[in-house]
């Protein structure tokens, strides 16, 4: 008999002949998550198991953040042939709960001599006899469910912790996330990473107009994302020179849009360097002046890569709810300036004209500014 964590997956079941590829990726991600806790991880009979942890609860919480994991159950592994011992352990597991319960059995081993209904009755009887003062059976709407899985061994568990779901990171390609210190972009990155996409983050830092506190805030957000992504590389791009050039030489009402166009160009350069196939932003239609349909079309036009905007139709309150759910909202709300707030025009253009944009950008040494920014980017590995 031993205690372990049983890790269950969901969507991977649907992958048919490609399932082994996704399962291998999932096991690797779970191994990375369990490594700090000394956990031994293996795949067997449609389950991922973790044993020998030095901190079971912390390991459980960490594994629940691994994309591809549907749920995690703290379980007891026992010899399946000793039904009396299984019943005794089941009774022990239910001694501290009260109310109604049922036993739910599943036989992956169809050669097992007892059927699932017979298992339910036998184990339920053991539980009830040992705990009749505070438990009673309700098979339709129980307050507690004791699950028993018969595989090569018997596995008993009475708690199921929901996890993030999705697909294992790395199975969906790679993309570059334009990561600011705001609420939106971390949520956008999370949503795309959940589909198995490996992220590389690009942040624009305008020192001394934005402080080291603002930079650290973004790295803290990246750290939160890295727990879901099993690590994250962040490019911190010096952006002050570009913003100064735009502020001094371009039409005031177009400075924000031209700045966004430069951000996209730089992000694409870094994405190509990293082998990424797309860009990700946290933009939502109409949220600010640079996110009108015309402005979005203008920023799209300067890159050849696809631009993923998973929040494009979200209300702000929806994005805030999501940020609170994934744990980024509190950090995003810290009152440190962002490069997007530097030199903000009073009346930014919402319906930009291509000729006016060209007029402003023709005054800038575009290639030199972009290459200098990319070459001087600081790389932080989380």
């Amino acid at each position: 008999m031993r205690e372990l964590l049983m890790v269950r997956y969901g969507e991977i079941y649907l992958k048919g002949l490609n399932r082994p590829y996704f399962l291998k990726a999932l096991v690797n991600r779970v191994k990375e998550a369990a490594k700090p806790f000394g956990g031994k991880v293996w795949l067997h009979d449609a389950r991922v198991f973790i044993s020998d942890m030095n901190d079971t609860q912390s390991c459980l919480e960490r594994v629940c953040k691994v994309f591809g994991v549907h749920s995690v159950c703290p379980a007891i592994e026992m010899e399946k042939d000793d039904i009396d011992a299984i019943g005794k352990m089941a009774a022990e597991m239910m001694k501290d709960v009260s109310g109604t319960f049922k036993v739910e059995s599943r036989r992956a081993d169809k050669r097992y001599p007892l059927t699932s209904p017979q298992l339910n009755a036998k184990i339920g009887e053991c539980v009830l006899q040992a705990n009749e003062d505070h438990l009673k059976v309700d098979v339709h709407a129980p307050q507690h469910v004791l699950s028993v899985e018969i595989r090569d061994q018997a596995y008993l568990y009475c708690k199921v912790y929901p996890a993030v779901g999705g697909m294992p990171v790395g199975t969906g390609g790679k993309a570059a996330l334009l990561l600011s210190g705001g609420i939106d972009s971390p949520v956008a990155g999370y949503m795309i990473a959940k589909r198995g996409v490996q992220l590389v983050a690009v942040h624009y830092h305008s020192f001394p107009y934005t402080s080291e506190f603002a930079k650290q805030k973004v790295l803290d957000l990246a750290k939160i994302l890295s727990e879901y992504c099993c690590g994250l590389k962040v490019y911190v791009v010096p952006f002050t020179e570009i913003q100064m050039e735009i502020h001094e030489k371009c039409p005031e009402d177009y400075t924000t849009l031209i700045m966004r166009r430069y951000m996209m160009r730089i992000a694409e350069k870094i994405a190509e360097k990293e082998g990424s196939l797309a860009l990700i932003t946290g933009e939502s239609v109409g949220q600010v002046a640079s996110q009108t349909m015309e402005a979005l079309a203008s920023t799209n036009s300067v890159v050849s890569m696809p631009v993923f905007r998973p929040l494009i139709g979200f209300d702000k309150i929806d994005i805030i709810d999501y940020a609170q759910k994934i744990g980024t909202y509190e950090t995003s709300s810290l009152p440190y300036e962002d490069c997007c707030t530097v030199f903000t025009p009073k009346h930014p253009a919402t319906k930009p004209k291509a000729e006016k944009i060209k007029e402003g950008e023709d005054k800038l040494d575009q290639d030199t500014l972009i290459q200098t920014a990319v070459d001087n980017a600081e790389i932080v590995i989380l």
Side-chain angles (χ1 to χ4, degrees), residues 96-128:
D96 294 326
V97 300
S98 60
T100 59
F101 83 100
K102 77 171 181 177
V103 177
E104 198 169 72
S105 301
R106 176 179 178 181
R107 296 183 310 141
D109 178 5
K110 301 304 182 185
R111 297 169 300 176
Y112 195 70
L114 297 179
T115 65
S116 293
Q118 288 172 332
L119 273 169
N120 293 342
K122 177 66 176 177
I123 297 171
E125 181 182 9
C126 294
V127 171
L128 194 59

Side-chain angles (χ1 to χ4, degrees), residues 276-291:
S276 297
L277 300 176
L279 304 179
I280 307 166
T281 79
E283 292 163 312
S284 171
V285 170
Q287 189 174 133
V288 294
S290 63
Q291 295 176 21

Side-chain angles (χ1 to χ4, degrees), residues 230-303:
C230 298
L232 185 63
K233 180 186 285 190
V234 184
Y235 281 78
V236 182
V237 178
F239 204 57
T240 308
E241 182 181 358
I242 292 175
Q243 285 190 284
M244 290 293 292
E245 287 281 303
I246 293 172
H247 176 66
E248 293 172 1
K249 298 179 180 179
C250 297
E252 182 184 3
D253 53 342
Y254 277 71
T255 55
T256 297
L257 178 61
I258 293 173
M259 178 190 72
R260 291 292 299 173
R261 284 163 62 94
Y262 267 76
M263 287 180 171
M264 298 291 277
R265 292 179 175 116
I266 292 169
E268 185 176 51
K269 284 274 189 183
I270 292 173
E272 290 170 349
K273 178 180 176 181
E274 287 290 327
S276 297
L277 300 176
L279 304 179
I280 307 166
T281 79
E283 292 163 312
S284 171
V285 170
Q287 189 174 133
V288 294
S290 63
Q291 295 176 21
T292 62
M293 291 291 284
E294 293 86 351
L296 293 174
S298 178
T299 55
N300 268 21
S301 68
V302 301
V303 295

Side-chain angles (χ1 to χ4, degrees), residues 200-205 215 219 233-239 242 266-267 269-271 273-274 369-381:
V200 56
V202 182
H203 173 65
Y204 299 95
H205 185 48
K215 173 183 169 183
L219 293 179
K233 180 186 285 190
V234 184
Y235 281 78
V236 182
V237 178
F239 204 57
I242 292 175
I266 292 169
K269 284 274 189 183
I270 292 173
K273 178 180 176 181
E274 287 290 327
L369 287 171
I370 291 173
Q371 195 59 51
T372 299
V374 172
D375 291 344
N376 290 286
E378 175 189 359
I379 300 176
V380 180
I381 307 292

